[in-house]
CSV table of all heavy atoms in Angstrom, one decimal:
chain,number,residue,atom,x,y,z
A,233,ALA,N,31.2,-37.5,-39.8
A,233,ALA,CA,31.5,-39.0,-39.8
A,233,ALA,C,30.6,-39.7,-38.9
A,233,ALA,O,30.2,-39.1,-37.8
A,233,ALA,CB,32.9,-39.2,-39.5
A,234,ASN,N,30.1,-40.9,-39.2
A,234,ASN,CA,29.3,-41.7,-38.3
A,234,ASN,C,30.1,-42.4,-37.3
A,234,ASN,O,29.6,-42.8,-36.3
A,234,ASN,CB,28.5,-42.6,-39.1
A,234,ASN,CG,27.5,-41.9,-40.1
A,234,ASN,OD1,27.8,-41.7,-41.2
A,234,ASN,ND2,26.3,-41.6,-39.6
A,235,ALA,N,31.4,-42.6,-37.6
A,235,ALA,CA,32.3,-43.3,-36.7
A,235,ALA,C,33.7,-43.0,-37.1
A,235,ALA,O,34.0,-42.6,-38.2
A,235,ALA,CB,32.1,-44.8,-36.7
A,236,ALA,N,34.7,-43.2,-36.2
A,236,ALA,CA,36.1,-43.0,-36.4
A,236,ALA,C,36.8,-44.2,-35.7
A,236,ALA,O,36.6,-44.4,-34.5
A,236,ALA,CB,36.6,-41.7,-35.9
A,237,ILE,N,37.7,-44.9,-36.5
A,237,ILE,CA,38.3,-46.0,-36.0
A,237,ILE,C,39.7,-45.7,-35.4
A,237,ILE,O,40.6,-45.2,-36.2
A,237,ILE,CB,38.5,-47.1,-37.0
A,237,ILE,CG1,37.1,-47.4,-37.6
A,237,ILE,CG2,39.1,-48.4,-36.5
A,237,ILE,CD1,37.1,-48.3,-38.8
A,239,GLU,N,42.3,-47.5,-34.2
A,239,GLU,CA,43.5,-48.3,-34.6
A,239,GLU,C,44.0,-48.0,-35.9
A,239,GLU,O,45.2,-48.3,-36.2
A,239,GLU,CB,43.1,-49.8,-34.5
A,239,GLU,CG,42.2,-50.3,-35.6
A,239,GLU,CD,42.1,-51.8,-35.6
A,239,GLU,OE1,42.9,-52.5,-34.9
A,239,GLU,OE2,41.2,-52.4,-36.3
A,240,THR,N,43.2,-47.4,-36.8
A,240,THR,CA,43.7,-47.1,-38.2
A,240,THR,C,43.6,-45.7,-38.6
A,240,THR,O,44.0,-45.3,-39.7
A,240,THR,CB,42.9,-48.0,-39.2
A,240,THR,OG1,41.5,-47.7,-39.0
A,240,THR,CG2,43.2,-49.4,-39.0
A,241,GLY,N,43.0,-44.8,-37.7
A,241,GLY,CA,42.8,-43.4,-38.1
A,241,GLY,C,41.8,-43.3,-39.2
A,241,GLY,O,41.9,-42.3,-40.0
A,242,THR,N,40.8,-44.1,-39.3
A,242,THR,CA,39.8,-44.2,-40.4
A,242,THR,C,38.5,-43.5,-40.0
A,242,THR,O,38.0,-43.6,-38.9
A,242,THR,CB,39.5,-45.6,-40.8
A,242,THR,OG1,40.8,-46.3,-41.1
A,242,THR,CG2,38.6,-45.7,-41.9
A,243,LEU,N,38.0,-42.8,-41.0
A,243,LEU,CA,36.6,-42.2,-40.9
A,243,LEU,C,35.7,-43.1,-41.6
A,243,LEU,O,36.0,-43.7,-42.6
A,243,LEU,CB,36.6,-40.8,-41.6
A,243,LEU,CG,37.5,-39.7,-41.0
A,243,LEU,CD1,37.5,-38.5,-41.9
A,243,LEU,CD2,37.2,-39.4,-39.6
A,244,VAL,N,34.5,-43.2,-41.0
A,244,VAL,CA,33.4,-44.0,-41.6
A,244,VAL,C,32.2,-43.2,-41.8
A,244,VAL,O,31.7,-42.5,-40.8
A,244,VAL,CB,33.0,-45.2,-40.7
A,244,VAL,CG1,32.0,-46.1,-41.4
A,244,VAL,CG2,34.3,-46.1,-40.4
A,245,ILE,N,31.7,-43.1,-43.0
A,245,ILE,CA,30.6,-42.2,-43.4
A,245,ILE,C,29.5,-43.1,-44.0
A,245,ILE,O,29.8,-43.8,-45.0
A,245,ILE,CB,31.0,-41.1,-44.3
A,245,ILE,CG1,32.1,-40.3,-43.7
A,245,ILE,CG2,29.8,-40.2,-44.6
A,245,ILE,CD1,32.7,-39.2,-44.6
A,246,VAL,N,28.3,-43.0,-43.5
A,246,VAL,CA,27.2,-43.8,-44.0
A,246,VAL,C,26.2,-42.9,-44.7
A,246,VAL,O,25.7,-41.9,-44.1
A,246,VAL,CB,26.5,-44.5,-42.8
A,246,VAL,CG1,25.3,-45.4,-43.2
A,246,VAL,CG2,27.5,-45.4,-42.0
A,247,THR,N,25.9,-43.2,-46.0
A,247,THR,CA,25.1,-42.3,-46.7
A,247,THR,C,24.1,-43.1,-47.6
A,247,THR,O,24.3,-44.3,-47.9
A,247,THR,CB,25.9,-41.4,-47.6
A,247,THR,OG1,26.5,-42.1,-48.7
A,247,THR,CG2,27.0,-40.7,-46.8
A,252,ALA,N,27.9,-37.4,-50.1
A,252,ALA,CA,29.1,-37.3,-49.2
A,252,ALA,C,30.3,-37.8,-49.9
A,252,ALA,O,31.4,-37.2,-49.7
A,252,ALA,CB,28.8,-38.2,-47.9
A,253,GLU,N,30.2,-38.8,-50.8
A,253,GLU,CA,31.4,-39.3,-51.5
A,253,GLU,C,31.9,-38.2,-52.5
A,253,GLU,O,33.1,-38.0,-52.6
A,253,GLU,CB,31.0,-40.5,-52.3
A,253,GLU,CG,30.8,-41.8,-51.5
A,253,GLU,CD,29.4,-41.9,-51.0
A,253,GLU,OE1,28.7,-40.9,-50.9
A,253,GLU,OE2,29.0,-43.0,-50.6
A,256,ALA,N,33.6,-35.5,-50.3
A,256,ALA,CA,34.9,-36.0,-49.8
A,256,ALA,C,35.9,-36.4,-50.8
A,256,ALA,O,37.0,-36.7,-50.5
A,256,ALA,CB,34.6,-37.2,-48.9
A,257,THR,N,35.5,-36.3,-52.1
A,257,THR,CA,36.4,-36.8,-53.2
A,257,THR,C,36.7,-35.7,-54.2
A,257,THR,O,37.9,-35.6,-54.6
A,257,THR,CB,35.7,-38.0,-53.9
A,257,THR,OG1,35.4,-39.0,-53.0
A,257,THR,CG2,36.6,-38.5,-55.0
A,262,HIS,N,39.6,-31.9,-48.1
A,262,HIS,CA,38.5,-32.5,-47.4
A,262,HIS,C,38.7,-32.2,-45.9
A,262,HIS,O,39.7,-32.5,-45.3
A,262,HIS,CB,38.4,-34.0,-47.6
A,262,HIS,CG,37.4,-34.8,-46.8
A,262,HIS,ND1,37.5,-36.1,-46.5
A,262,HIS,CD2,36.3,-34.3,-46.2
A,262,HIS,CE1,36.5,-36.5,-45.8
A,262,HIS,NE2,35.7,-35.4,-45.6
A,272,VAL,N,35.7,-45.3,-32.0
A,272,VAL,CA,35.6,-46.6,-31.5
A,272,VAL,C,37.0,-47.3,-31.6
A,272,VAL,O,37.8,-46.8,-32.4
A,272,VAL,CB,34.6,-47.5,-32.3
A,272,VAL,CG1,33.2,-46.9,-32.2
A,272,VAL,CG2,35.0,-47.5,-33.8
A,274,THR,N,38.3,-50.4,-32.7
A,274,THR,CA,38.8,-51.2,-33.9
A,274,THR,C,37.7,-51.3,-35.0
A,274,THR,O,36.5,-50.9,-34.8
A,274,THR,CB,39.2,-52.6,-33.4
A,274,THR,OG1,38.0,-53.3,-33.1
A,274,THR,CG2,40.1,-52.6,-32.2
A,275,LEU,N,38.2,-51.8,-36.1
A,275,LEU,CA,37.3,-52.1,-37.2
A,275,LEU,C,36.1,-53.0,-36.9
A,275,LEU,O,35.0,-53.0,-37.4
A,275,LEU,CB,38.1,-52.6,-38.4
A,275,LEU,CG,37.3,-53.0,-39.7
A,275,LEU,CD1,36.7,-51.7,-40.3
A,275,LEU,CD2,38.3,-53.6,-40.7
A,276,ASP,N,36.4,-53.9,-35.9
A,276,ASP,CA,35.4,-54.9,-35.5
A,276,ASP,C,34.1,-54.2,-34.9
A,276,ASP,O,33.1,-54.8,-34.8
A,276,ASP,CB,36.0,-55.9,-34.5
A,276,ASP,CG,37.0,-56.8,-35.1
A,276,ASP,OD1,37.0,-57.0,-36.3
A,276,ASP,OD2,37.8,-57.3,-34.3
A,277,ASP,N,34.3,-52.9,-34.5
A,277,ASP,CA,33.2,-52.2,-33.9
A,277,ASP,C,32.2,-51.6,-34.9
A,277,ASP,O,31.1,-51.2,-34.6
A,277,ASP,CB,33.7,-51.1,-33.0
A,277,ASP,CG,34.4,-51.6,-31.8
A,277,ASP,OD1,33.9,-52.3,-31.0
A,277,ASP,OD2,35.7,-51.3,-31.7
A,278,ILE,N,32.6,-51.7,-36.2
A,278,ILE,CA,31.8,-51.1,-37.2
A,278,ILE,C,30.6,-51.9,-37.7
A,278,ILE,O,29.5,-51.4,-37.8
A,278,ILE,CB,32.7,-50.6,-38.4
A,278,ILE,CG1,33.8,-49.7,-37.9
A,278,ILE,CG2,31.8,-50.0,-39.5
A,278,ILE,CD1,33.2,-48.4,-37.2
A,279,PRO,N,30.8,-53.2,-38.0
A,279,PRO,CA,29.7,-54.0,-38.4
A,279,PRO,C,28.4,-54.0,-37.5
A,279,PRO,O,27.3,-53.8,-38.0
A,279,PRO,CB,30.2,-55.4,-38.5
A,279,PRO,CG,31.7,-55.2,-38.8
A,279,PRO,CD,32.1,-54.0,-38.0
A,281,LEU,N,27.5,-51.5,-35.7
A,281,LEU,CA,26.9,-50.2,-36.0
A,281,LEU,C,26.1,-50.2,-37.3
A,281,LEU,O,25.0,-49.7,-37.4
A,281,LEU,CB,28.0,-49.1,-36.0
A,281,LEU,CG,27.6,-47.7,-36.4
A,281,LEU,CD1,26.6,-47.1,-35.3
A,281,LEU,CD2,28.8,-46.8,-36.6
A,282,LEU,N,26.7,-50.8,-38.3
A,282,LEU,CA,26.1,-50.8,-39.6
A,282,LEU,C,24.8,-51.7,-39.7
A,282,LEU,O,24.0,-51.5,-40.6
A,282,LEU,CB,27.1,-51.3,-40.7
A,282,LEU,CG,28.3,-50.4,-40.9
A,282,LEU,CD1,29.2,-51.0,-42.0
A,282,LEU,CD2,27.9,-49.0,-41.2
A,294,LEU,N,20.3,-51.8,-44.9
A,294,LEU,CA,21.6,-51.2,-45.1
A,294,LEU,C,21.6,-50.0,-45.9
A,294,LEU,O,20.7,-49.9,-46.9
A,294,LEU,CB,22.6,-52.3,-45.7
A,294,LEU,CG,24.1,-52.0,-45.7
A,294,LEU,CD1,24.5,-52.0,-44.2
A,294,LEU,CD2,24.8,-53.0,-46.5
A,295,THR,N,22.4,-49.0,-45.7
A,295,THR,CA,22.4,-47.8,-46.5
A,295,THR,C,23.0,-48.1,-47.9
A,295,THR,O,23.6,-49.1,-48.1
A,295,THR,CB,23.2,-46.7,-45.8
A,295,THR,OG1,24.4,-47.2,-45.5
A,295,THR,CG2,22.5,-46.2,-44.6
A,297,ARG,N,25.4,-46.5,-49.4
A,297,ARG,CA,26.9,-46.4,-49.4
A,297,ARG,C,27.4,-46.4,-48.0
A,297,ARG,O,26.9,-45.8,-47.1
A,297,ARG,CB,27.3,-45.2,-50.2
A,297,ARG,CG,26.8,-45.2,-51.7
A,297,ARG,CD,27.1,-43.8,-52.3
A,297,ARG,NE,26.6,-43.8,-53.7
A,297,ARG,CZ,27.4,-44.2,-54.7
A,297,ARG,NH1,28.6,-44.5,-54.6
A,297,ARG,NH2,26.9,-44.1,-56.0
A,298,VAL,N,28.6,-47.0,-47.9
A,298,VAL,CA,29.4,-46.9,-46.7
A,298,VAL,C,30.8,-46.5,-47.1
A,298,VAL,O,31.4,-47.2,-47.9
A,298,VAL,CB,29.4,-48.2,-45.8
A,298,VAL,CG1,30.3,-48.0,-44.6
A,298,VAL,CG2,28.0,-48.6,-45.5
A,299,LEU,N,31.3,-45.4,-46.7
A,299,LEU,CA,32.6,-44.8,-47.1
A,299,LEU,C,33.6,-44.9,-46.0
A,299,LEU,O,33.4,-44.4,-44.9
A,299,LEU,CB,32.4,-43.4,-47.5
A,299,LEU,CG,33.6,-42.6,-48.1
A,299,LEU,CD1,34.2,-43.3,-49.3
A,299,LEU,CD2,33.2,-41.2,-48.3
A,300,PHE,N,34.7,-45.6,-46.2
A,300,PHE,CA,35.9,-45.6,-45.3
A,300,PHE,C,37.0,-44.7,-45.8
A,300,PHE,O,37.4,-44.9,-47.0
A,300,PHE,CB,36.4,-47.1,-45.1
A,300,PHE,CG,35.4,-48.0,-44.4
A,300,PHE,CD1,34.3,-48.5,-45.0
A,300,PHE,CD2,35.7,-48.3,-43.1
A,300,PHE,CE1,33.5,-49.4,-44.4
A,300,PHE,CE2,34.8,-49.2,-42.4
A,300,PHE,CZ,33.7,-49.7,-43.0
A,301,ILE,N,37.4,-43.8,-45.1
A,301,ILE,CA,38.5,-42.9,-45.5
A,301,ILE,C,39.7,-43.0,-44.5
A,301,ILE,O,39.5,-42.7,-43.3
A,301,ILE,CB,38.0,-41.4,-45.6
A,301,ILE,CG1,36.8,-41.4,-46.6
A,301,ILE,CG2,39.1,-40.5,-46.0
A,301,ILE,CD1,36.2,-40.0,-46.7
A,302,THR,N,40.8,-43.4,-45.0
A,302,THR,CA,42.0,-43.5,-44.2
A,302,THR,C,43.1,-42.6,-44.8
A,302,THR,O,43.8,-43.0,-45.7
A,302,THR,CB,42.5,-44.9,-44.1
A,302,THR,OG1,41.4,-45.8,-43.7
A,302,THR,CG2,43.6,-45.1,-43.1
A,303,GLY,N,43.1,-41.3,-44.3
A,303,GLY,CA,44.1,-40.4,-44.9
A,303,GLY,C,43.7,-39.8,-46.2
A,303,GLY,O,42.7,-40.2,-46.8
A,304,PRO,N,44.4,-38.8,-46.7
A,304,PRO,CA,44.2,-38.3,-48.1
A,304,PRO,C,44.4,-39.3,-49.1
A,304,PRO,O,45.1,-40.3,-48.9
A,304,PRO,CB,45.1,-37.1,-48.1
A,304,PRO,CG,46.3,-37.4,-47.2
A,304,PRO,CD,45.6,-38.2,-46.1
A,305,THR,N,43.9,-39.0,-50.3
A,305,THR,CA,44.1,-40.0,-51.4
A,305,THR,C,45.6,-40.1,-51.8
A,305,THR,O,46.3,-39.1,-51.6
A,305,THR,CB,43.3,-39.6,-52.7
A,305,THR,OG1,43.7,-38.2,-53.0
A,305,THR,CG2,41.8,-39.6,-52.4
A,306,ARG,N,46.0,-41.2,-52.2
A,306,ARG,CA,47.4,-41.4,-52.5
A,306,ARG,C,47.6,-42.6,-53.5
A,306,ARG,O,46.7,-43.4,-53.7
A,306,ARG,CB,48.2,-41.7,-51.3
A,306,ARG,CG,47.7,-42.9,-50.4
A,306,ARG,CD,48.4,-42.9,-49.0
A,306,ARG,NE,47.9,-44.0,-48.2
A,306,ARG,CZ,46.8,-43.9,-47.4
A,306,ARG,NH1,46.1,-42.8,-47.4
A,306,ARG,NH2,46.5,-44.9,-46.6
A,324,LEU,N,43.6,-33.9,-46.1
A,324,LEU,CA,42.5,-34.3,-45.3
A,324,LEU,C,42.8,-33.7,-43.9
A,324,LEU,O,43.8,-33.9,-43.3
A,324,LEU,CB,42.4,-35.8,-45.1
A,324,LEU,CG,41.5,-36.3,-44.1
A,324,LEU,CD1,40.0,-35.9,-44.4
A,324,LEU,CD2,41.6,-37.9,-43.9
Side-chain angles (χ1 to χ4, degrees):
N234 297 93
I237 305 172
E239 71 171 349
T240 56
T242 301
L243 301 175
V244 183
I245 304 175
V246 180
T247 71
E253 287 86 341
T257 303
H262 173 204
V272 298
T274 71
L275 180 62
D276 291 339
D277 295 299
I278 301 304
L281 175 67
L282 296 182
L294 195 64
T295 51
R297 298 171 182 269
V298 180
L299 180 62
F300 289 79
I301 301 175
T302 308
T305 57
R306 54 194 181 272
L324 170 61

